[in-house]
Amino acid sequence: MSKKELTVEQEQLARIAKALGHPVRIAILEMLASQSCCYHGDMSEILPIAKSTLSQHLNELKDAGLIQGTIILPTVKYCINEENWAKAKKLFSSLFVEINNPECCK
Amino acid sequence: MSKKELTVEQEQLARIAKALGHPVRIAILEMLASQSCCYHGDMSEILPIAKSTLSQHLNELKDAGLIQGTIILPTVKYCINEENWAKAKKLFSSLFVEINNPECCK
DNA sequence: AAGTCAGTTCGTAAACTTGCGAATTAAAAA
DNA sequence: TTTTTAATTCGCAAGTTTACGAACTGACTT
């Protein structure tokens, strides 16, 4: 019986995964990553949700550190936070390393 | 104004990300992937949660298709579902492809 | 047959998420 | 200065998640 604390990395990865855990937020990130769209207004015309709901989703992505927004009047320009995006990529990569179970579970 | 439906891939990725969106579930998957542990009982001794809560988390991972369980009395052996794990890996990889924004967002 | 052991399901409470429209803010245009 | 425009915040309802302990199930022991 030796209960282990969860690590900071586990908390970080879960935090990011949680932010990715909604299809609208995936769609937002794909738009931003592919650069086909960057402005709040454009996104709100494409995505099947109300403007206020979009703001909420953008906020969650911002809180998770995955995107950042700049006011460029009369709208807001959103983009991937490249530093944290790279960090997220790395965290997921290390989770998805090759599975190490030659004899177990077969 | 051309509201777009969300794609099946976006829904799938979000579904998986949601399942990864809790530190305990990350810890479980890491244990299973690294094969340091596979049995329910062992996990319940290591993770800082009640046995019933662990069952719930394992169920969510199972529902998301990421793991599978086999009854090996007197316990249950859990493992990564390698097929879906590979699929998940692929979905995340394609999300995290290089960002394509030479002039935007700088 | 009664007890034990391991895991799951049930019931429930508290917190969080998702969604919307209404109200608000803040800047630009009339 | 009033109106318009674009986005955010507020308030709320409905649903989901997380967590726990208690009750249950099913198989092995005694």
Side-chain angles (χ1 to χ4, degrees), chain A residues 72-92:
Chain A
I72 302 209
L73 290 165
T75 183
V76 182
K77 185 158 153 183
Y78 282 96
C79 16
I80 299 284
N81 179 317
E82 300 200 40
E83 189 183 337
N84 291 334
W85 188 252
K87 200 179 289 177
K89 184 179 182 170
K90 204 166 285 177
L91 285 167
F92 278 105

Side-chain angles (χ1 to χ4, degrees), chain B residues 40-93:
Chain B
H40 187 135
D42 296 342
M43 293 195 269
S44 93
E45 287 187 356
I46 290 168
L47 296 169
I49 50 168
K51 243 180 0 154
S52 58
T53 308
L54 175 57
S55 271
Q56 263 180 134
H57 284 301
L58 289 167
N59 246 312
E60 288 188 57
L61 290 171
K62 225 195 293 184
D63 289 349
L66 292 170
I67 66 171
Q68 60 207 66
T70 318
I71 296 169
I72 302 210
L73 289 165
T75 182
V76 183
K77 184 159 155 182
Y78 282 97
C79 16
I80 299 284
N81 178 317
E82 301 202 38
E83 189 182 337
N84 292 333
W85 188 251
K87 199 178 288 177
K89 185 180 181 168
K90 204 166 285 178
L91 285 167
F92 278 106
S93 301

Side-chain angles (χ1 to χ4, degrees), chain A residues 16-46:
Chain A
I16 295 166
K18 197 175 181 187
L20 300 182
H22 191 290
V24 163
R25 295 197 288 266
I26 295 291
I28 291 168
L29 291 169
E30 285 179 355
M31 284 193 266
L32 297 184
S34 72
Q35 199 32 246
S36 65
C37 176
C38 227
Y39 297 94
H40 187 135
D42 296 342
M43 291 195 270
S44 92
E45 287 187 355
I46 289 166

